[in-house]
Amino acid sequence: MSVTLPESVDAWRMVSARRSFAGALPVAAMPRLCGMLAGNEGAAQYTLDFGRDDFGSAYLQVHVEAPLTLICQRTLEPFVQPLTVDSRLGLIRSERDEAALPPGCEPLLVEDDGKLDLAAVIEDELLLALPLVPVNPDSSLPPEVTGPAAEESVAEPNDNPFAVLRELKKTD
């Protein structure tokens, strides 16, 4: 198992050798991910395992844990969201090979030269795991939203906009 993450690897050689990589990648080293975050502090702990499954399909098992600083869409305050990614990526040479992948295996298209940027794979998986609408689980709605004035604005059940139509139907 390697501790340092190489810039790129030959995916097919890694599969043949059943190589594994583990370590930490600084969040600041992932520019696309940093563009989606409120801060670039911390590091992503990763484990990458290459291999072949029972069907002979080449795969890359990705496990990443990262504390990411997001903006809560309820309070607009930054908070740290711990993310965990655990996915199996089926390594394919062309899009038509995707159909042969076993269920639960996401396709990862490898270039003709076999080169694979492992840091980009980690970054892609974290980007896909980001919540669509980040909300701090420890936050609460402001009092002006949950206060008694908000309850009064709820329409009464008697204020039915179709009541007039019901009355017209009765007259016929």
Side-chain angles (χ1 to χ4, degrees), residues 9-29:
V9 297
D10 184 333
W12 309 115
R13 279 186 153 168
M14 298 297 109
V15 168
S16 296
R18 297 183 138 315
R19 286 290 307 268
S20 294
F21 297 91
L25 182 64
V27 172

Side-chain angles (χ1 to χ4, degrees), residues 24 42 53 65 87 104 127 147 150 166:
D53 62 12
E65 294 179 7
S87 59
L127 282 167
R166 186 180 311 126

Side-chain angles (χ1 to χ4, degrees), residues 58-140:
Y59 69 84
L60 171 58
Q61 185 71 38
V62 179
H63 180 79
V64 182
E65 294 179 7
L68 302 178
T69 306
L70 304 172
I71 297 290
C72 174
Q73 295 303 300
R74 179 181 289 160
T75 62
L76 298 178
E77 296 290 327
F79 74 102
V80 176
Q81 171 77 45
L83 271 182
T84 301
V85 175
D86 197 15
S87 59
R88 180 170 281 208
L89 305 175
L91 305 177
I92 57 175
R93 296 177 197 267
S94 68
E95 290 181 15
R96 67 175 176 261
D97 297 337
E98 183 179 347
L101 292 176
C105 194
E106 293 294 321
L108 178 61
L109 188 61
V110 178
E111 298 295 325
D112 292 336
D113 60 2
K115 297 293 180 205
L116 189 60
D117 183 355
L118 297 178
V121 171
I122 293 169
E123 186 175 16
D124 289 344
E125 291 301 307
L126 286 172
L127 282 167
L128 290 170
L130 283 176
L132 190 59
V133 179
V135 176
N136 186 349
D138 298 331
S139 69
S140 60

Side-chain angles (χ1 to χ4, degrees), residues 135-166:
V135 176
N136 186 349
D138 298 331
S139 69
S140 60
L141 292 172
E144 56 269 9
V145 175
T146 59
E151 294 172 5
E152 294 171 7
S153 67
V154 175
E156 293 293 321
N158 297 338
D159 296 340
N160 188 343
F162 299 104
V164 175
L165 295 175
R166 186 180 311 126

